[in-house]
Tab-separated table of all heavy atoms in Angstrom:
chain	number	residue	atom	x	y	z
A	7	MET	N	-1.733	60.689	-51.273
A	7	MET	CA	-2.314	60.921	-52.568
A	7	MET	C	-1.328	61.120	-53.727
A	7	MET	O	-1.502	60.810	-54.875
A	7	MET	CB	-3.357	62.028	-52.477
A	7	MET	CG	-4.536	61.705	-51.626
A	7	MET	SD	-5.683	63.002	-51.473
A	7	MET	CE	-6.429	63.088	-53.070
A	8	TYR	N	-0.230	61.887	-53.373
A	8	TYR	CA	0.856	62.040	-54.310
A	8	TYR	C	1.392	60.821	-54.790
A	8	TYR	O	1.657	60.524	-55.966
A	8	TYR	CB	1.904	62.941	-53.601
A	8	TYR	CG	1.912	64.410	-53.928
A	8	TYR	CD1	1.822	65.329	-52.925
A	8	TYR	CD2	1.965	64.888	-55.252
A	8	TYR	CE1	1.815	66.670	-53.170
A	8	TYR	CE2	1.881	66.234	-55.581
A	8	TYR	CZ	1.854	67.066	-54.485
A	8	TYR	OH	1.728	68.419	-54.722
A	11	VAL	N	-1.107	59.084	-57.118
A	11	VAL	CA	-1.293	59.675	-58.410
A	11	VAL	C	-0.030	59.467	-59.260
A	11	VAL	O	-0.080	59.102	-60.472
A	11	VAL	CB	-1.592	61.161	-58.349
A	11	VAL	CG1	-1.516	61.853	-59.694
A	11	VAL	CG2	-3.010	61.378	-57.735
A	15	ARG	N	-1.185	56.504	-61.657
A	15	ARG	CA	-1.794	57.005	-62.935
A	15	ARG	C	-0.737	57.546	-63.943
A	15	ARG	O	-0.747	57.062	-65.142
A	15	ARG	CB	-2.584	58.326	-62.555
A	15	ARG	CG	-3.988	58.005	-61.943
A	15	ARG	CD	-4.833	59.112	-62.016
A	15	ARG	NE	-6.145	58.764	-61.448
A	15	ARG	CZ	-7.126	59.702	-61.374
A	15	ARG	NH1	-6.953	60.874	-61.719
A	15	ARG	NH2	-8.309	59.318	-60.924
A	74	GLU	N	-11.139	60.671	-63.406
A	74	GLU	CA	-11.355	61.719	-62.427
A	74	GLU	C	-10.061	62.475	-62.192
A	74	GLU	O	-9.060	61.950	-61.872
A	74	GLU	CB	-11.889	61.071	-61.150
A	74	GLU	CG	-12.082	62.119	-60.014
A	74	GLU	CD	-12.416	61.432	-58.707
A	74	GLU	OE1	-12.584	60.110	-58.675
A	74	GLU	OE2	-12.555	62.144	-57.645
A	75	VAL	N	-10.138	63.746	-62.382
A	75	VAL	CA	-8.930	64.650	-62.225
A	75	VAL	C	-8.856	65.072	-60.753
A	75	VAL	O	-9.872	65.496	-60.181
A	75	VAL	CB	-9.058	65.934	-63.117
A	75	VAL	CG1	-7.836	66.865	-62.903
A	75	VAL	CG2	-9.039	65.490	-64.590
A	76	PRO	N	-7.767	64.873	-60.143
A	76	PRO	CA	-7.547	65.291	-58.685
A	76	PRO	C	-7.743	66.736	-58.505
A	76	PRO	O	-7.638	67.620	-59.495
A	76	PRO	CB	-6.069	64.948	-58.399
A	76	PRO	CG	-5.677	63.930	-59.441
A	76	PRO	CD	-6.457	64.318	-60.655
A	77	ASP	N	-8.225	67.171	-57.300
A	77	ASP	CA	-8.402	68.535	-56.899
A	77	ASP	C	-7.030	69.348	-57.133
A	77	ASP	O	-6.088	69.026	-56.520
A	77	ASP	CB	-8.863	68.663	-55.497
A	77	ASP	CG	-9.108	70.065	-55.126
A	77	ASP	OD1	-8.970	71.027	-55.897
A	77	ASP	OD2	-9.542	70.267	-53.945
A	78	PRO	N	-7.095	70.323	-57.968
A	78	PRO	CA	-5.805	71.107	-58.218
A	78	PRO	C	-5.319	71.783	-56.996
A	78	PRO	O	-4.081	72.039	-56.932
A	78	PRO	CB	-6.240	72.059	-59.331
A	78	PRO	CG	-7.677	72.270	-59.297
A	78	PRO	CD	-8.184	70.874	-58.791
A	79	LEU	N	-6.158	72.111	-56.012
A	79	LEU	CA	-5.605	72.639	-54.794
A	79	LEU	C	-4.801	71.672	-53.910
A	79	LEU	O	-3.952	72.062	-53.215
A	79	LEU	CB	-6.775	73.234	-54.018
A	79	LEU	CG	-7.589	74.416	-54.678
A	79	LEU	CD1	-8.703	74.833	-53.712
A	79	LEU	CD2	-6.578	75.528	-54.993
A	80	THR	N	-5.283	70.377	-54.058
A	80	THR	CA	-4.558	69.380	-53.196
A	80	THR	C	-3.395	68.798	-54.030
A	80	THR	O	-2.338	68.597	-53.392
A	80	THR	CB	-5.609	68.225	-52.910
A	80	THR	OG1	-6.693	68.796	-52.298
A	80	THR	CG2	-4.988	67.202	-52.001
A	81	ILE	N	-3.672	68.540	-55.314
A	81	ILE	CA	-2.543	67.966	-56.119
A	81	ILE	C	-2.447	68.864	-57.402
A	81	ILE	O	-3.102	68.566	-58.327
A	81	ILE	CB	-2.822	66.495	-56.455
A	81	ILE	CG1	-2.958	65.674	-55.191
A	81	ILE	CG2	-1.706	65.949	-57.333
A	81	ILE	CD1	-3.275	64.223	-55.457
A	82	PRO	N	-1.660	69.878	-57.302
A	82	PRO	CA	-1.491	70.793	-58.466
A	82	PRO	C	-0.709	70.087	-59.610
A	82	PRO	O	0.043	69.145	-59.383
A	82	PRO	CB	-0.880	71.987	-57.890
A	82	PRO	CG	-0.054	71.442	-56.759
A	82	PRO	CD	-0.811	70.328	-56.185
A	83	HIS	N	-0.793	70.794	-60.827
A	83	HIS	CA	0.074	70.393	-61.946
A	83	HIS	C	-0.186	69.121	-62.574
A	83	HIS	O	0.607	68.448	-63.214
A	83	HIS	CB	1.586	70.496	-61.576
A	83	HIS	CG	1.934	71.581	-60.707
A	83	HIS	ND1	1.612	72.896	-60.999
A	83	HIS	CD2	2.740	71.737	-59.539
A	83	HIS	CE1	2.132	73.750	-60.033
A	83	HIS	NE2	2.762	72.995	-59.143
A	84	TYR	N	-1.329	68.485	-62.311
A	84	TYR	CA	-1.682	67.117	-62.795
A	84	TYR	C	-1.677	67.175	-64.315
A	84	TYR	O	-1.192	66.178	-64.986
A	84	TYR	CB	-2.961	66.658	-62.177
A	84	TYR	CG	-3.442	65.315	-62.792
A	84	TYR	CD1	-2.800	64.138	-62.427
A	84	TYR	CD2	-4.482	65.275	-63.685
A	84	TYR	CE1	-3.267	62.955	-63.013
A	84	TYR	CE2	-4.900	64.135	-64.227
A	84	TYR	CZ	-4.297	62.863	-63.890
A	84	TYR	OH	-4.708	61.714	-64.386
A	236	PHE	N	-8.038	56.150	-52.079
A	236	PHE	CA	-6.766	56.724	-52.449
A	236	PHE	C	-5.654	56.235	-51.507
A	236	PHE	O	-4.547	55.859	-51.925
A	236	PHE	CB	-6.738	58.233	-52.397
A	236	PHE	CG	-6.955	58.915	-53.657
A	236	PHE	CD1	-7.999	59.935	-53.875
A	236	PHE	CD2	-6.313	58.589	-54.820
A	236	PHE	CE1	-8.224	60.448	-55.088
A	236	PHE	CE2	-6.487	59.166	-56.033
A	236	PHE	CZ	-7.441	60.146	-56.161
Side-chain angles (χ1 to χ4, degrees):
M7 292 178 72
Y8 263 121
V11 171
R15 285 197 179 179
E74 179 186 356
V75 177
D77 183 358
L79 296 177
T80 307
I81 302 180
H83 320 310
Y84 174 74
F236 264 129

